[in-house]
Amino acid sequence: MTSPTSPTSPTGSSRTPRRITPGLAGAPTDVDVVVVGLGVTGAGVALDAASRGLRVLAVDAHDLAFGTSRFSSKLVHGGLRYLASGQVAIAHESAVERGILMETTAPHLTHPLPSLIPLGPGVSRPLGALAGAGLVGGDLLRRAARTSADTLPRPRRLSAAETRQLAPPLRTEGLRGGLLGWDGQLEDDARLVTTIARTAADRGAAVHTHARVVAATGTSVQLRDELTGADLAVTCRTVVNAAGVWAGDLVDDVRLRPSRGTHLVLRPEALPHLAVAVFAPIPGETNRFVLVLPQPDGQLYVGLTDEPVDGPVPDVAEPTEVEIGFLLDVVSASFARPLRRSDVVGAFAGLRPLLDTSDGAGEGSTADLSRKHAVLTSPSGVVTIVGGKLTTYRRMAQDAVDAAVASAGLTAGPCVTATLPLLGAAPREALAEEAARADHPGRARLVRRYGADAGLVLDAALEASGWAADEVLAPIAPGHATVPTVWAELFFGITHEGAADVADLLDRRTRVGLVPADREVAVPAAQRALEVVAAHARQSGR
Ligand SMILES: Cc1cc2nc3c(=O)[nH]c(=O)nc-3n(C[C@H](O)[C@H](O)[C@H](O)COP(=O)(O)OP(=O)(O)OC[C@H]3O[C@@H](n4cnc5c(N)ncnc54)[C@H](O)[C@@H]3O)c2cc1C
């Protein structure tokens, strides 16, 4: 493994990594595979195909992680929920993919998350026993997937005192104890997508943001550069449609039935000293919970809902006041201090790309639609990959590329992504030590968000800005502790990660935008970063 401050990639190569490009300038016009969409699925497909030796062009109409992939719960799930409904194969697949992500491909972007089910008045003894059995089942899944107990410790029953210690703001009346389990958590979902896309580019894929596919056959696509309005025709051997909830816009024979999931963002003070995720039982439901999820930056997310979405699919889904009220009510029942509407500093919603397999659309609950992914080859030859989840993106990509290679008769190497670390990957403990040793809090933050590529990010920021190290490592909004982002993150987003505007920087390369008040404070910095990089490039004749 490379040192966290080395500009080399974990593959040992010291060449300059290929960068993600906004717009279609320099895009190839003849490739093996065109990938439509750069959410987690499309980024995974681009990486899978490029690492098998195929010539790849991967594009997104907006930006990396523009769609559902940035609005997830940011969990790396082990598939317990599928086990509960008897879907053993999907549960096993999820647990295997969780292990690959946490132990091999992205230890730098994932960490174990302790989760607590408080055994209070809202959880009857039979329900508590059921939840306990579920955690034991989850641990069996972990073992079957050969994930180490060092990565995800075994679950255990806690006394009432231990429960209170881990989650001081819990309601204590009637608290009998708790159940402690472990799952994986992402540093950030959009950062995972960006890192997969960057790794795909490093493996030779041409990755372009702000480039929309307006029409596709199995052997050609028409593209529009959303920055300049220019058109481009590209010939290819196969097209993989990974456009998420918009996949049906490109092919007639794929029908989706999206469901909306909403999360709230709270400041840490709303539920102080919460060191674990808490499962708050939904009254009247068996084994369904609202989750309170502490984030690496200290914020708390509360989610999640499951509401069918009818009509046209919006670019960005909006949470409703009814959903916000529901989440506040459920969580308040488990904590000593009821949450108020004023505790909510942000709210976001994502759309699950669920495949509609029913005869008559619009019937039944979206919670019943299969979460398993599907690969569908249209009569035109376009291969569509939908469904699934963030945790299983690698397997989804493998299945999609297998299908595309078979249907187009391509010659490609075997899938290697299960053993291919993403850029910046290094053992979690080594990175933690590196962050602890860092001589500047900004540098420690870069190690947390870019792993072994922290040095590359810093060097790129210095070069792109012409600023001093202390300046690029400084927070972009001094005096606003809720905006810990540093300048180097913005500069690197522009130079290496295909960010073209303020929204790319604040809503996807960083997640400042999840809290509107923080976003407002950060907008001038994002504008300045774009100006500085453009001016410095002009001066240095690039
Ligand atoms: C609320 C919620 C919470 C979730 N939580 C979790 C979780 O904790 N863990 C987990 O494992 N999974 C979770 N999931 C599931 C997971 O987030 C999704 O399955 C996954 O993000 C879908 O990714 P995708 O790449 O298929 O779609 P998207 O992320 O939506 O990407 C599709 C992309 O295609 C682009 N596009 C569309 N049309 C075109 C076009 N014509 N040309 C070019 N580009 C185009 C869009 O701009 C978009 O960026 C959650 C889902 C939801 C809704």
Side-chain angles (χ1 to χ4, degrees), residues 36-42 59-63 65-69 71-75 77 211-213 242-246 250 259 261 263 304 350-353 387-391:
V36 188
L38 286 164
V40 74
T41 310
V59 297
D60 198 284
H62 300 273
D63 186 24
F66 178 83
T68 305
S69 298
F71 295 127
S72 80
S73 305
K74 304 174 188 0
L75 293 174
H77 283 296
R212 180 180 294 275
V213 172
V245 283
W246 300 277
L250 281 182
S259 101
H263 288 88
L304 124 117
L351 300 176
R352 296 177 186 84
K389 54 184 183 162
L390 222 120
T391 308

Side-chain angles (χ1 to χ4, degrees), residues 88-477:
V88 180
I90 311 185
H92 181 67
E93 182 179 280
S94 289
V96 168
E97 292 303 322
R98 175 183 63 181
I100 291 173
L101 202 52
M102 295 190 73
E103 294 188 335
T104 306
T105 55
H108 57 319
L109 301 177
T110 55
H111 50 262
L113 175 72
S115 319
L116 176 72
I117 303 179
L119 299 174
V123 181
S124 65
R125 285 181 191 275
L127 193 54
L130 191 68
L135 287 188
V136 172
D139 197 50
L140 285 175
L141 271 179
R142 172 193 64 77
R143 275 194 268 175
R146 300 183 188 281
T147 305
S148 159
D150 293 338
T151 304
L152 292 172
R154 298 197 171 87
R156 66 186 182 93
R157 166 101 199 214
L158 303 177
S159 68
E162 287 174 307
T163 305
R164 279 197 301 273
Q165 203 178 2
L166 280 178
L170 276 180
R171 189 181 284 255
T172 49
E173 303 93 66
L175 189 68
R176 312 190 294 281
L179 298 169
L180 183 67
W182 295 79
D183 220 330
Q185 187 180 38
L186 290 164
E187 162 68 26
D188 174 32
D189 45 14
R191 183 115 305 275
L192 174 71
V193 175
T194 304
T195 309
I196 299 169
R198 211 157 59 75
T199 310
D202 188 55
R203 291 273 151 170
V207 182
H208 292 256
T209 54
H210 300 278
R212 180 180 294 275
V213 172
V214 287
T217 70
T219 53
S220 68
V221 291
Q222 286 295 326
L223 290 152
R224 187 174 63 224
D225 184 323
E226 296 286 10
L227 299 176
T228 63
D231 294 327
L232 185 72
V234 173
T235 51
C236 55
R237 305 281 302 279
T238 185
V239 173
V240 178
N241 173 15
V245 283
W246 300 277
D249 295 351
L250 281 182
V251 280
D252 293 335
D253 50 333
V254 172
R255 199 175 49 185
L256 292 155
R257 181 133 180 262
S259 101
R260 189 177 55 244
T262 288
H263 288 88
L264 313 179
V265 186
L266 313 177
R267 299 286 194 215
E269 309 81 76
L271 298 170
H273 310 298
L274 196 60
V276 290
V278 173
F279 283 55
I282 299 179
E285 300 259 5
T286 312
N287 231 3
R288 276 196 66 213
F289 301 87
V290 167
L291 272 59
V292 181
L293 299 162
Q295 298 301 304
D297 272 344
Q299 320 254 33
L300 301 167
Y301 295 166
V302 172
L304 124 117
T305 58
D306 196 334
E307 295 293 323
V309 176
D310 298 316
V313 178
D315 274 359
V316 179
E318 292 294 334
T320 64
E321 280 302 319
V322 174
E323 288 174 291
I324 294 172
F326 164 80
L327 292 171
L328 288 176
D329 287 348
V330 172
V331 170
S332 292
S334 291
F335 288 88
R337 168 186 163 302
L339 294 174
R340 293 181 287 264
R341 183 66 179 84
S342 56
D343 290 317
V344 179
V345 292
F348 60 91
L351 300 176
R352 296 177 186 84
L354 303 180
L355 195 63
D356 190 351
T357 48
S358 68
D359 293 337
E363 299 295 314
S365 152
T366 45
D368 299 332
L369 294 180
S370 174
R371 261 47 173 178
K372 174 144 181 55
H373 65 267
V375 180
L376 309 156
T377 304
S378 297
S380 66
V382 173
V383 174
T384 297
I385 168 86
V386 281
K389 54 184 183 162
L390 222 120
T391 308
T392 54
Y393 84 87
R394 193 208 63 79
R395 182 55 203 249
M396 294 168 66
Q398 177 178 346
D399 291 350
V401 176
D402 279 347
V405 164
S407 78
L410 289 168
T411 305
C415 175
V416 295
T417 51
T419 53
L420 177 67
L422 300 182
L423 289 182
R428 203 170 285 118
E429 305 72 37
L431 291 174
E433 280 170 27
E434 184 72 21
R437 272 202 311 271
D439 54 1
H440 192 295
R443 202 184 287 266
R445 179 175 169 83
L446 295 186
V447 173
R448 206 188 80 207
R449 289 185 62 79
Y450 304 86
D453 269 352
L456 169 71
V457 175
L458 180 56
D459 290 346
L462 293 173
E463 193 188 329
S465 63
W467 293 9
D470 270 359
E471 291 173 301
V472 298
L473 289 172
I476 60 170

